Amino acid sequence: MINYASINEFVSMLLFWALGLYVLTRSPRSLLSGIAAATLFSVALWFFGSVMRDKVRDLDEWKAWGGFFWWAAGAALALWYWKSALALRRYPEITPASYRNFLAYPLGVLAVFAAIGFGLASVVGDSMLVWSEPVPDPRTPSISGSWAVRSGSHFAWFAAFAYATVVVSAIHLLWGWRRTPKGSGARSQLRWLTVSGSLFVVAVGWLTTNTLLDAGFPHLFGGIQPGYVVLTAGLVILGWSVVRHGTWIEGQPVQGDFAYFLVGQGLLVVLYVSLFAFVRLPIDIRSLILFLTLGLLTLSTHALADLGRITLGRLFYRRTPGKWRALERLLNYAREVSRASDHARVLQKVARESEEEWWYEQTERALRCLRDPHGLSQLDIVQSLDPDGASPLDRARRSGDVVVGCINKLEPGDGRPPPRPFVILKEAYVEGRSTKEIMSRHQIREKTYYNERKKGVAAIAAELRALARA
């Protein structure tokens, strides 16, 4: 008899890991996306443990590996609660700040501590689940050596924690969905998150109740747990929703990328599974761990290839940051072009951003050379600002006057205190004061100093660019 439960859990493990990688690599860097990815990874690890239990045929090994990854269930529940709470924070007009600060967030902290406690209890003893005394698995009675686990004395508390977590999360999302304006992107995202939350309520209720009844609910096709099917649907919608509302190029969502990613990762899994089947390794506990770990590493390395190249570039190009920034920009543009349906729009964005960065770098160099006419005359920006100058030094002098004039434009001139970008650029490059002196004189912190200086350079670069076009 085929163990359909094992196949279902193996596919679910790979699917959730791939979804987590997709959210991690395709969504903008944010706490909300990070928590969504962590939720998907946690469920994948939970299924990892389920696959291990389904394949182990030695009772001692089953006892040793039984609860090894069961802690991931509590982690996923706590993370899902925090995702719903941070969704309220992302759209502050939905709920009053007092509710978020004095109820939603403290409950989230309690959920984290509860998840840690239940996770430890599932690993070190039988109070959660009775790992030391397994019973024959009712899903697969004809498969020799299959065992199931009974609920422990404290599992009812975990079931209450799990159900309360998903119910409150669903209420948060429903509350947000109903209170956001119709037709807005926030309403669409919260609507799909609410669908995920509702499915999680059904799945968690089914799975926990089934465990309390010692697998008393019926199964499909000789082992597939209906609760897993509902859980899978909810997590797929979760991953799709986060990416659908987070991956944008010039205001247009990337169409088809979600399906392309899953198909590509699926082909990789088929390739490696076929390789293992061809080699015919013995199915023992060690080869199973190796097989599952290599599967997850394969998905991870292929999904994180671009991030890996960026990390290596930062390591090897740390002494030549200009070259590295150009390489990093090319890698990012290549990824955007490969994912976009409108290539002309992406190429226009590439040209605009490249021009803006050129003017910023040239402006920064010109500021450093304001007191060095010869060095200023060697810069390309001088040709753009004064293309008809007779001699290099004359062109450098006139270009320097233009740069100083742009700095002076940052001063309000109506009696108001001058802004920090004006003060920093004026004193650093026109008057020649040191950075330490300026920070001490105006009581500016180092981080603030460089942030304000960057704003000033960007403003001067935009003004010089406009003058050059004129």
Side-chain angles (χ1 to χ4, degrees), residues 56 60 67 77 87 92 161 168 173 242 250-251 279 282 311 342 356 361 378 382 421 446 448 450 453-454:
V56 166
D60 293 332
L77 291 167
F161 158 75
V168 174
L173 297 171
V242 171
E250 288 296 300
V279 174
T311 303
D342 189 353
E356 290 174 353
E361 292 179 352
Q378 305 300 312
V382 172
E446 183 177 6
T448 303
Y450 286 106
R453 175 188 170 278
K454 185 177 181 179

Side-chain angles (χ1 to χ4, degrees), residues 33 73 113 251 264 273:
S33 298
F113 283 109
V273 169

Side-chain angles (χ1 to χ4, degrees), residues 444-465:
I444 303 175
R445 294 183 302 171
E446 183 177 6
K447 183 178 180 180
T448 303
Y449 174 90
Y450 286 106
N451 287 338
E452 296 295 331
R453 175 188 170 278
K454 185 177 181 179
K455 293 179 184 178
V457 174
I460 300 301
E463 182 69 13
L464 294 176
R465 180 184 175 194

Side-chain angles (χ1 to χ4, degrees), residues 374-450:
H374 175 71
L376 184 59
S377 67
Q378 305 300 312
L379 299 180
D380 295 335
I381 194 173
V382 172
Q383 176 65 30
S384 300
L385 295 175
D386 191 5
D388 301 325
S391 68
L393 290 179
D394 287 339
R395 291 163 58 191
R397 179 179 56 80
R398 287 194 289 268
S399 297
D401 292 340
V402 172
V403 173
V404 173
C406 292
I407 294 175
N408 292 329
K409 289 183 180 180
L410 296 175
E411 187 176 18
D414 56 1
R416 290 180 297 168
R420 281 178 174 172
F422 168 77
V423 172
I424 292 172
L425 297 183
K426 182 79 171 180
E427 296 190 7
Y429 301 112
V430 179
E431 300 175 6
R433 300 181 188 273
S434 66
T435 299
K436 186 176 181 179
E437 182 182 0
I438 298 172
M439 290 192 296
S440 176
R441 185 180 183 186
H442 299 282
Q443 298 297 307
I444 303 175
R445 294 183 302 171
E446 183 177 6
K447 183 178 180 180
T448 303
Y449 174 90
Y450 286 106

Side-chain angles (χ1 to χ4, degrees), residues 31 102 144 175 180 198 231 273 297 307 329 387 462:
L31 187 59
F102 298 108
S144 175
W175 189 1
T180 48
S198 302
L231 179 65
V273 169
L297 287 176
L307 295 180
R329 187 168 60 249

Side-chain angles (χ1 to χ4, degrees), residues 196-240:
S196 293
S198 302
L199 292 175
F200 292 158
V201 171
V202 176
V204 169
W206 182 289
L207 292 171
T208 54
T209 305
N210 185 59
T211 304
L212 283 171
L213 297 177
D214 295 329
F217 283 177
H219 296 74
L220 304 174
F221 306 108
I224 293 181
Q225 170 64 261
Y228 289 170
V229 178
V230 180
L231 179 65
T232 301
L235 284 165
V236 169
I237 293 174
L238 167 64
W240 177 84

